[in-house]
Amino acid sequence: MSGSDDSMPSADDSTTPFDGGTPVEASDAPYDGPITGSISNPCSLPGSVVRTMSGVTTVPGGKTPSGGALPDVSYIDVPVGFCVHYFANVGNARQIRFAPGGEAFVASPTGGTTSGGQNGLNAIVVLPDDDNDGVADKTITFLNKSALPGMALAYTQGMLFNGGYFYYQDGNPLAMPPVSTIRRIPYAPGQRAPSGPSELVVDIGAYHHQDGLHWVKALDVADDGTIYVGNGGSQTDSCVQPPWPFLGGILKLDGTPGGSIVARGLRNPNAVRCSRGHDLCFALELAKDYSGPNSVSTPSQAGREKLIAIHQGDDWGFPCCATQGVPYADPPYAVDCSGIAPVDDSFLIGDTPFGLDFESGLWPGMWAGRVFIANHGAAGTWTGARLVAIAMDPTTGLPLPGTNYTYTGTAPTPDGGAYGDMGNLVDFATGWDNAGNGHGRPTAVSFSPDGRLFLTNDTTGDIVWIAPASL
């Protein structure tokens, strides 16, 4: 972590429940006040690693707040005309969102997952850049106290700014009964400490299945003000006769206790993000382990990781169906998978698509308006760790078809050149998957108000931003 850690007092927890009350408010009008960290020509900043036609150059200078040299991020390979810059370090940085005033908020949990990093802070922190040098000035603890008595904020990842509130995930999925909540506190632009008590919005764990590893409650708000939240199922969920129960899927916060079911049949919807202008929201689904064509144990299965649009009533098939029309291997009965939602954008099992955000049109050429997805890579080897981009249909607001699922190689885990035609899916940044584990894994993605793409790394803790030289 660069700079000092200025711990602020956490909000006092209120026991007044919001669960089951008035539906969540729609978003406020767009904030038009001052924005911290808003930078013109960011690739000219000292410390920027710039990719040109003639190679890679680093703008001289660039220091941490304590005066030390910036960590080396030149291993990240971006297209010509783009730059990479170190921003901060936060242990187990699993989510990043930007406040209306431009500050980066990062969730740093310690709750166990199948692929989580080390050195989590049990906190949500703020990383301001008030001097606009492209590096966080310091790390400020915004929240570090759970509403559960005696607990730190160990199980937090989902965050959202909406309607004058900061929404965040809290709870303990290992408790009996499990507690998995969304809470909120009043928030005004520029605040770097809580200004009021927290209140319960919804206790998902009291009404829906919870998994001790897939506990993430990613959330975002649609154009119409609806807040969607992911709920994880379990790798060991059993395929049973219909009607299939709700285990993993998507909920909406409409005042219904526990949230209303929107879509079901997901194993681990690890990320939820809404685009702007078409009232559409999306999720990244981490499907059943070892169920893809690149699996050594069961290569005939048709499992795939997915980017999906969130629609009322969709069923994505888990744990019975690998994809539309195809059950998982050895189904316990004659499973009918014909009604499963079709997949347009998918990844090989183990690519582990982990975070996503939408470019707003400030970037040049083919990169404008795409959805950018951080692939965490395969557990253990980190094969496939990279940042990819998928073109969007400007008329419908939906991603155009793209996949690396058409695997043409023969190795258990694919390498370069083995994917075939990926359609509208293209690699944007690489360098993590280098036959070693020293560079960590790309994790969460978020565009800042000035158009830079921020990318966290839950393994090393390093947070970087990427921008075009034309910005």
Side-chain angles (χ1 to χ4, degrees):
M1 244 175 297
S2 299
S4 61
D5 184 341
D6 293 351
S7 296
M8 296 292 185
S10 298
D12 293 330
D13 293 306
S14 167
T15 58
T16 304
F18 186 77
D19 193 359
T22 305
V24 173
E25 301 89 338
S27 300
D28 288 342
Y31 173 69
D32 60 0
I35 294 179
T36 183
S38 184
I39 299 171
S40 298
N41 303 313
C43 288
S44 65
L45 287 175
S48 292
V49 179
V50 186
R51 176 81 182 275
T52 68
M53 291 293 291
S54 57
V56 177
T57 62
T58 300
V59 179
K63 300 291 184 181
T64 66
S66 61
L70 296 179
D72 180 18
V73 295
S74 63
Y75 66 87
I76 301 176
D77 189 9
V78 295
V80 170
F82 282 80
C83 68
V84 185
H85 199 291
Y86 173 85
F87 180 68
N89 185 283
V90 175
N92 200 27
R94 299 274 288 188
Q95 182 60 276
I96 182 169
R97 299 299 290 264
F98 283 90
E103 300 92 345
F105 277 57
V106 173
S108 175
T110 59
T113 66
T114 55
S115 59
Q118 303 298 312
N119 304 314
L121 302 176
N122 287 325
I124 295 170
V125 301
V126 190
L127 303 173
D129 180 16
D130 293 328
D131 60 4
N132 292 344
D133 67 350
V135 180
D137 305 325
K138 52 189 169 183
T139 301
I140 302 170
T141 300
F142 186 78
L143 286 172
N144 62 1
K145 179 183 176 184
S146 171
L148 298 177
M151 270 198 67
L153 200 60
Y155 292 92
T156 191
Q157 184 159 323
M159 300 184 292
L160 172 66
F161 296 91
N162 181 62
Y165 289 92
F166 174 66
Y167 292 76
Y168 67 99
Q169 176 184 353
D170 188 14
N172 181 3
L174 303 181
M176 296 300 291
V179 179
S180 190
T181 66
I182 303 298
R183 302 182 68 87
R184 70 180 189 180
I185 57 176
Y187 185 84
Q191 290 180 343
R192 298 175 184 179
S195 61
S198 72
E199 63 177 344
L200 177 69
V201 177
V202 62
D203 186 352
I204 296 172
Y207 296 91
H208 300 292
H209 163 89
Q210 296 301 298
D211 182 80
L213 292 175
H214 303 158
W215 51 261
V216 171
K217 298 291 177 283
L219 69 160
D220 206 358
V221 60
D223 290 343
D224 68 359
T226 303
I227 293 179
Y228 294 97
V229 183
N231 187 68
S234 300
Q235 173 74 7
T236 56
D237 287 339
S238 298
C239 177
V240 299
Q241 294 276 358
W244 294 338
F246 178 83
L247 300 171
I250 305 296
L251 303 164
K252 64 180 178 182
L253 306 189
D254 59 358
T256 302
S260 294
I261 297 171
V262 176
R264 64 180 68 226
L266 298 173
R267 171 183 170 271
N268 186 11
N270 195 62
V272 172
R273 206 62 186 254
C274 301
S275 61
R276 298 296 161 225
H278 292 87
D279 198 24
L280 289 171
C281 297
F282 301 84
L284 292 173
E285 157 70 341
L286 307 185
K288 186 177 181 180
D289 289 340
Y290 316 114
S291 68
N294 56 323
S295 170
V296 176
S297 58
T298 51
S300 62
Q301 295 193 72
R304 62 203 70 190
E305 325 271 34
K306 312 172 191 65
L307 168 65
I308 64 172
I310 297 172
H311 295 304
Q312 185 70 47
D314 274 353
D315 191 327
W316 293 95
F318 182 81
C320 293
C321 301
T323 192
Q324 189 179 60
V326 183
Y328 284 113
D330 302 321
Y333 65 95
V335 179
D336 180 6
C337 298
S338 61
I340 299 307
V343 178
D344 288 326
D345 296 277
S346 60
F347 305 86
L348 284 165
I349 297 293
D351 275 5
T352 322
F354 219 75
L356 76 160
D357 201 3
F358 300 86
E359 200 285 317
S360 64
L362 297 176
W363 282 22
M366 66 175 286
W367 305 111
R370 286 183 178 249
V371 56
F372 286 78
I373 298 171
N375 282 351
H376 214 212
T381 66
W382 303 349
T383 299
R386 63 201 188 279
L387 185 61
V388 302
I390 301 175
M392 303 290 288
D393 185 329
T395 301
T396 65
L398 294 169
L400 295 169
T403 184
N404 68 358
Y405 184 79
T406 310
Y407 176 55
T408 61
T410 57
T413 51
D415 54 14
Y419 295 116
D421 182 3
M422 297 198 299
N424 293 282
L425 184 153
V426 295
D427 286 353
F428 174 73
T430 58
W432 297 271
D433 174 9
N434 65 343
N437 291 5
H439 296 155
R441 310 169 78 181
T443 304
V445 182
S446 190
F447 279 93
S448 62
D450 62 7
R452 289 174 290 159
L453 182 155
F454 280 69
L455 180 65
T456 73
N457 187 320
D458 64 0
T459 307
T460 66
D462 285 345
I463 301 172
V464 302
W465 53 259
I466 301 172
S470 60
L471 192 64

